[in-house]
Amino acid sequence: MKRTILFFALLSTSFYCLAQKKSIEKQFNQKEAISHFRFLASDELMGRDPARPEMDAASRYIAEQFWKYGAKEVPGAKGYYQEIPFRLSAPPTKGTIMFGEESFNQGTDLLVLDGDGLEGTYELVVLQHGVEADYQGVDVKGKIIVANIGAPNRMNPADLFSLGREKIALAKSNGAVAIIEMFNVPTVPWPAVVNYLGRPQLTIGAPDSKDALPYIWARDLKNELINAIGRGEIKNAKVDIQGKKNRNIIGKNVIAYIEGTDPVLKNEYVMLSAHYDHVGVGRPDAKGDSIYNGARDNAVGTVAVINAAKYFAENPPKRSILLCAWTAEEKGLLGSEYFANNPLIPLKQIIYNLNIDNGGYNDTNLVTVIGLGRTSADPLIEKAVSEFGLKAIADPAPEQGLYDRSDNVNFARRGIPAPTFSLGFTAFDDEISKYYHQPGDHVDNFDLEYAVKYWKSYILSAQYIANWNQKPVWQSGDKYETAGKELYGLK
C-alpha cells in the first residue's frame, strides 16, 4: 500500500513539473526576449557605464518592462527605482607623497582613489588594518593613517573595495586627514591594479558630502614601507595632491515585486537579481570598436530577470518574487551593497537569492552555478535545467573566488542562501577571455538558441524554489551557515 501511495505521489509530482515546464514553453516569447537583449547590449547605451548618462536609458527601459508586465512598485522605492547617492572621483592632476626621501607618484606606485586634494606635511600612524578594533587607544586626529590593505579573511577584490569604504568612514569619524592602504597582494599584479583603478572611481557617498577624505593605495609588496613607518624610521609624509575633481551622481537599482498566492508564504520572497551595468567605453580593439557592449556580462542576465517578471506576473507562485536589477556591480558591487544595507524588503523575509552574473560561456550544454552544493535548493536547480536539456555544474574554477566577487555575496554575508546562475563554462580559457570585458561581447556572436534555454531554465528554477514546501538553507558547515541561522532565527 505504501509503495502504491509513493508511486502516485511521484507520478503526481512528475505531471506537476511537466506542466510547469510546458507553461513556460507556451508563454515564452523568444523574439521579444531577444529584442530586450539586443537593446540592452546595443551601441546606443555606450556600454552601460553607471557614470554615463546612457545608464538612465537602461534603467528606464528595465523599469518600463516591469511596469508593462504588471510587476508592482516596492514600497519605499521611487517608482521602480531605489536611488543611490554616488560620488565619481577622478584621478588627481598631480599626486605625490614623500615618505622620507622616497617619492611615490600617481599612476606609478601610488593611486589616489577617492577624496579631495591635500597638501602639507602630516604625521603618520600605523593601524594594522584600519578597522574599528585597531583604533583603541590610538590618537589619529590630524594624522594620516597607514594600514594594510583588506583584513584577515577578507582579501578578495569585492572585500577590498567594501572594506575601503568602511575604513574611510572610520578614519574620518576619528579625525584623520587621510588613509593610505599599503598594497601588498603578491597574487595581483600592480600594473593591472593601476590599469583598472587609475581612472575615475565610483563610490557610495552622501549627495552633499564635502571634504571627502583622501583614500590612497601605495605599492608596498614586501611590506618594507609600512614596517619602516611602524618602527618610527619614517614619522611624517609630505603630501601634494592637486586637481582632484569629485562629482555627485544618482545611481538606480531597478526594483519590483510580484505577490505570491499563498496567504502565508507570500510574506517570503525569492529574490531574482542581475547587474545591468557594464564597463562603458574604453580602449579600442583591432577593429576600432571602443564600446564594451556587455552582452554576456551581463545583458543576458538582465534579460533573464525581465523574462521572469513577465512570466511570474502572469503565473504567480506561492512565494512572492522580488525582481532586482543592480547598478554598479562593475564598480565594486555597489548597487547590491546599497540595497543590502538599505533593504526595501526586510532581509529576513528574503529566503533565497538566485543571482545572475557572467563572464561568458564555452559549453552550451551546461549551466554553471557558482555555489552549487552549498544550499538545500540545489536539487531543484539541477532538475529545472535538466528539463531544458542542460546540466548544472558547480564552480569549475574555485581558485578565482567567483562566489565572493559578485552581487550574491552581499546577501550571503547576511545569511541569505545566494548562488549565481551563470552561463556554462568549464574553465577560464581563451573562449571566455575573448569576450570578457572586451568590445567584442555582442549579441550577434551569442548562441541565441542557448540563450533561450538558459532563460527558460532560470524561470523554472525560480518557480520550483518559490513553490517549494521547504525554506532553503545553507548546507551544514558552510561559512555563511551561522549568518543564515542568525538572520532567520534558526537553531
Side-chain angles (χ1 to χ4, degrees):
M1 182 67 177
K2 289 182 179 179
R3 288 185 178 180
T4 303
I5 293 173
L6 179 60
F7 171 77
F8 280 108
L10 292 172
L11 188 64
S12 176
T13 300
S14 297
F15 279 126
Y16 175 67
C17 293
L18 182 61
Q20 291 185 91
K21 180 197 173 187
K22 284 186 175 180
S23 175
I24 294 170
E25 293 275 27
K26 181 179 180 180
Q27 297 182 46
F28 193 91
N29 188 321
Q30 178 171 324
K31 196 167 185 179
E32 185 178 41
I34 294 171
S35 177
H36 296 319
F37 195 19
R38 284 161 56 88
F39 177 74
L40 288 171
S42 66
D43 282 356
E44 284 78 4
L45 293 186
M46 301 297 286
R48 305 188 307 281
D49 184 336
R52 291 186 63 97
E54 295 85 5
M55 192 64 165
D56 285 336
S59 61
R60 182 68 184 182
Y61 184 84
I62 299 164
E64 286 297 314
Q65 307 317 308
F66 288 170
W67 172 81
K68 179 175 70 176
Y69 295 139
K72 299 177 181 179
E73 297 176 8
V74 176
K78 188 174 181 179
Y80 288 97
Y81 302 134
Q82 181 186 39
E83 294 189 340
I84 307 171
F86 284 141
R87 184 174 61 253
L88 185 66
S89 184
T93 55
K94 181 179 181 181
T96 301
I97 299 180
M98 294 291 297
F99 296 100
E101 300 299 318
E102 190 173 3
S103 176
F104 281 62
N105 298 287
Q106 171 71 21
T108 303
D109 38 27
L110 192 77
L111 288 169
V112 182
L113 300 177
D114 196 9
D116 294 326
L118 185 67
E119 296 179 62
T121 300
Y122 298 91
E123 185 179 344
L124 302 171
V125 56
V126 173
L127 300 183
Q128 181 65 21
H129 285 97
V131 296
E132 189 168 8
D134 297 331
Y135 282 83
Q136 294 183 8
V138 182
D139 177 19
V140 301
K141 191 172 183 179
K143 303 173 185 177
I144 294 177
I145 294 170
V146 176
N148 289 294
I149 196 169
N153 301 317
R154 293 189 67 180
M155 291 298 292
N156 66 67
D159 280 330
L160 299 185
F161 289 119
S162 61
L163 272 169
R165 293 188 286 276
E166 295 172 21
K167 292 179 184 183
I168 292 169
L170 277 170
K172 188 170 184 178
S173 66
N174 282 276
V177 297
I179 180 168
I180 302 173
E181 286 191 300
M182 296 298 176
F183 186 88
N184 51 12
V185 186
T187 56
V188 181
W190 176 255
V193 173
V194 172
N195 181 58
Y196 183 69
L197 297 180
R199 49 192 175 187
Q201 296 300 307
L202 201 65
T203 58
I204 298 172
D208 59 351
S209 61
K210 296 180 180 178
D211 303 320
L213 202 73
Y215 174 53
I216 302 161
W217 282 9
R219 181 176 60 181
D220 190 24
L221 299 181
K222 297 181 179 179
N223 299 308
E224 295 172 345
L225 181 56
I226 193 171
N227 289 338
I229 296 169
R231 291 191 297 265
E233 296 169 10
I234 301 174
K235 297 181 178 180
N236 301 296
K238 184 178 180 181
V239 181
D240 188 7
I241 298 173
Q242 300 179 35
K244 280 289 285 136
K245 292 184 179 180
N246 301 315
R247 178 165 61 92
N248 295 320
I249 61 177
I250 297 297
K252 296 171 183 174
N253 287 330
V254 191
I255 313 288
Y257 82 103
I258 296 159
E259 188 174 28
T261 59
D262 186 278
V264 176
L265 292 181
K266 71 179 183 180
N267 296 310
E268 298 177 356
Y269 291 79
V270 174
M271 181 165 70
L272 307 181
S273 64
H275 76 88
Y276 70 100
D277 66 304
H278 193 53
V279 299
V281 179
R283 182 180 301 170
D285 62 11
K287 298 179 181 179
D289 186 359
S290 61
I291 299 174
Y292 290 60
N293 302 80
R296 292 157 178 79
D297 184 14
N298 188 33
V300 68
T302 307
V303 174
V305 175
I306 292 173
N307 290 337
K310 180 180 182 181
Y311 181 79
F312 288 121
E314 297 173 357
N315 307 272
K318 294 178 180 180
R319 290 186 174 88
S320 295
I321 297 292
L322 182 61
L323 304 154
C324 301
W326 308 124
T327 186
E329 187 271 350
E330 300 288 0
K331 303 296 184 182
L333 317 183
L334 299 184
S336 58
E337 178 188 349
Y338 189 82
F339 184 92
N341 291 333
N342 305 273
L344 300 179
I345 300 291
L347 295 183
K348 65 181 180 180
Q349 289 181 243
I350 302 173
I351 58 99
Y352 199 79
N353 172 210
L354 191 58
N355 183 57
I356 293 184
D357 194 8
N358 285 295
Y361 61 89
N362 54 27
D363 192 329
T364 57
N365 296 305
L366 302 175
V367 170
T368 299
V369 182
I370 309 300
L372 191 70
R374 299 180 65 169
T375 81
S376 61
D378 293 336
L380 301 180
I381 297 174
E382 292 173 323
K383 178 173 177 54
V385 305
S386 70
E387 293 290 331
F388 292 100
L390 302 174
K391 180 182 178 181
I393 66 166
D395 183 357
E399 72 282 357
Q400 296 280 340
L402 297 178
Y403 190 91
D404 292 333
R405 286 171 52 185
S406 191
D407 292 304
N408 60 292
V409 74
N410 283 323
F411 302 100
R413 287 194 187 112
R414 289 158 176 82
I416 299 171
T420 291
F421 190 94
S422 296
L423 298 166
F425 72 96
T426 54
F428 269 83
D429 60 9
D430 291 342
E431 183 63 20
I432 301 295
S433 300
K434 182 166 61 174
Y435 299 112
Y436 179 62
H437 286 192
Q438 298 298 323
D441 185 7
H442 294 278
V443 172
D444 61 11
N445 53 38
F446 201 106
D447 185 329
L448 294 177
E449 182 180 347
Y450 173 56
V452 170
K453 290 182 181 179
Y454 175 77
W455 290 328
K456 291 177 181 177
S457 298
Y458 181 73
I459 294 171
L460 188 56
S461 297
Q463 188 169 44
Y464 282 170
I465 295 165
N467 285 326
W468 199 23
N469 60 5
Q470 299 178 38
K471 186 183 294 185
V473 295
W474 293 100
Q475 295 290 3
S476 178
D478 194 276
K479 73 175 183 177
Y480 296 118
E481 181 190 16
T482 300
K485 289 181 176 180
E486 292 175 355
L487 178 66
Y488 302 120
L490 303 174
K491 293 181 180 180

